[in-house]
Amino acid sequence: MAHGGICTIRRAMSILLATLVLSACTTNRYAKTNKQYKQQLKVLTKQMQAPLPYATPRLTATYDSITGMTAVSEIPQTKREARQVASIHFNLRKPNYVIIHHTAQDSLEQTLHTFTVPHSEVSAHYVIGRNGEVYQLLNDYVRGWHAGAGKWGTVTDLNSISLGVELDNNGKEPFTEPQIYSLLTLLDTLKQRYNIPSANFIGHSDIAPSRKVDPSAFFPWKRLAERGFGMWPDEVLMTPPENFNPEDALRIIGYDTRNLDAAIKAFKLHYIQDDISPELTDYDLSVLYSLYRK
């Protein structure tokens, strides 16, 4: 074989070897946190299998035949008995909301790093990269740490009943088409799998209007609503009646109105998008009235 042919083969082998090494590094980059994830699931499983605690004191009532009075006393700690009668009617809790975020970070790599280091104490169930690649970080039945202190309607612990979906976006630019395509595909799967109501696809800013602004005004909420993920006002808007109360309407939709200006801005970030001031224009009121009637 000619010397040039041998050099070509050697170069090809070097490239192949470098590719394999890079692939192995990429695969094993999160091996440590993947292992820790499985260990934490084992701990949770053991907790689920442990006997139910007899947490409340047992009370006993005695009747005094002379006074005709009943005395109620607590059985001492040492005499409590832990009794378990296991019901056979149960299953895993299922998510009932999907909360959409943008990462507010500079890259997918930075986001994955944030979600896999101990000190961050933040997580999401899914992360979608700009190229449309979907990463699942948590099992759907696991309680993620993505919603934080928020409120929607009467629900004050959104983490316990929701899935968190993060989009790799810094909040200052449009979302990519591959990203939105993958998001729609994912949301369709989640909606069908868990029977999530259309109105329960909301944004982080909706549930935490005083703290959060994600996903940004670039997010295509109308496009999602057309596919059945979230609400959207009617094309033909009606003028609300004179007795229409916008604060009540915002609260009925789900917004926390304790800080009314923040609630209005969050509403407008979702449904108006080109104006997020805390004032409601006539057009804004018509949009709000349409959603209120839904």
Side-chain angles (χ1 to χ4, degrees):
M1 182 180 292
H3 179 71
I6 295 175
C7 290
T8 300
I9 292 174
R10 285 177 176 173
R11 282 197 298 270
M13 291 294 292
S14 298
I15 293 172
L16 177 60
L17 179 60
T19 302
L20 290 174
V21 170
L22 179 61
S23 176
C25 291
T26 302
T27 302
N28 295 328
R29 182 174 300 169
Y30 300 104
K32 182 178 179 180
T33 52
N34 289 345
K35 181 179 180 181
Q36 184 175 342
Y37 172 81
K38 292 178 181 179
Q39 290 173 341
Q40 290 177 214
L41 284 182
K42 287 182 180 179
V43 172
L44 291 176
T45 301
K46 288 181 180 179
Q47 291 176 358
M48 289 284 291
Q49 294 173 340
L52 297 175
Y54 192 50
T56 56
R58 294 179 62 189
L59 301 178
T60 180
T62 56
Y63 180 77
D64 189 326
S65 60
I66 298 176
T67 63
M69 298 180 65
T70 301
V72 178
S73 60
E74 181 180 324
I75 294 179
Q77 175 80 22
T78 55
K79 292 187 178 180
R80 292 185 194 170
E81 297 178 2
R83 297 183 179 180
Q84 178 176 346
V85 179
S87 174
I88 60 173
H89 310 292
F90 69 94
N91 52 21
L92 293 173
R93 297 174 187 264
K94 73 179 185 67
N96 197 43
Y97 285 84
V98 172
I99 299 175
I100 299 172
H101 311 248
H102 70 238
T103 60
Q105 295 192 311
D106 295 326
S107 67
L108 174 65
E109 193 65 33
Q110 184 181 1
T111 297
L112 294 177
H113 174 75
T114 299
F115 286 163
T116 54
V117 293
H119 64 268
S120 68
E121 296 188 345
V122 64
S123 61
H125 294 83
Y126 297 91
V127 176
I128 303 179
R130 296 166 191 259
N131 63 356
E133 191 167 13
V134 179
Y135 294 79
Q136 183 167 9
L137 282 74
L138 296 173
N139 185 284
D140 292 346
Y141 291 102
V142 172
R143 183 181 185 274
W145 298 352
H146 62 95
K151 185 175 184 291
W152 189 248
T154 60
V155 181
T156 57
D157 182 7
L158 273 300
N159 275 332
S160 292
I161 59 172
S162 70
L163 296 170
V165 179
E166 293 269 2
L167 301 176
D168 177 27
N169 183 286
N170 60 17
K172 301 175 183 178
E173 58 189 8
F175 297 84
T176 68
E177 183 59 30
Q179 199 170 41
I180 298 302
Y181 178 84
S182 292
L183 174 65
L184 291 170
T185 303
L186 173 62
L187 295 185
D188 185 61
T189 299
L190 298 177
K191 183 178 184 180
Q192 298 300 324
R193 181 177 296 164
Y194 304 115
N195 196 28
I196 299 175
S198 296
N200 289 5
F201 293 82
I202 52 181
H204 199 186
S205 59
D206 292 317
I207 68 166
S210 299
R211 299 188 303 111
K212 297 297 181 178
V213 292
D214 58 304
S216 70
F218 291 105
F219 189 72
W221 283 112
K222 181 180 179 181
R223 183 172 172 186
L224 263 68
E226 290 171 346
R227 290 283 299 271
F229 313 121
M231 298 174 60
W232 197 254
D234 297 323
E235 290 293 330
V236 179
L237 297 174
M238 298 172 57
T239 301
E242 292 185 4
N243 64 348
F244 178 63
N245 187 320
E247 183 175 351
D248 287 346
L250 286 168
R251 186 171 59 252
I252 288 170
I253 291 171
Y255 287 97
D256 180 0
T257 58
R258 289 175 294 181
N259 183 336
L260 184 56
D261 284 354
I264 291 173
K265 291 173 70 174
F267 158 76
K268 294 179 70 171
L269 179 64
H270 190 134
Y271 296 104
I272 308 299
Q273 297 196 315
D274 58 356
D275 169 28
I276 55 172
S277 65
E279 290 80 30
L280 290 168
T281 67
D282 290 341
Y283 175 76
D284 300 340
L285 289 170
S286 295
V287 170
L288 178 58
Y289 182 58
S290 176
L291 295 167
Y292 161 78
R293 293 178 69 243
K294 288 177 182 289

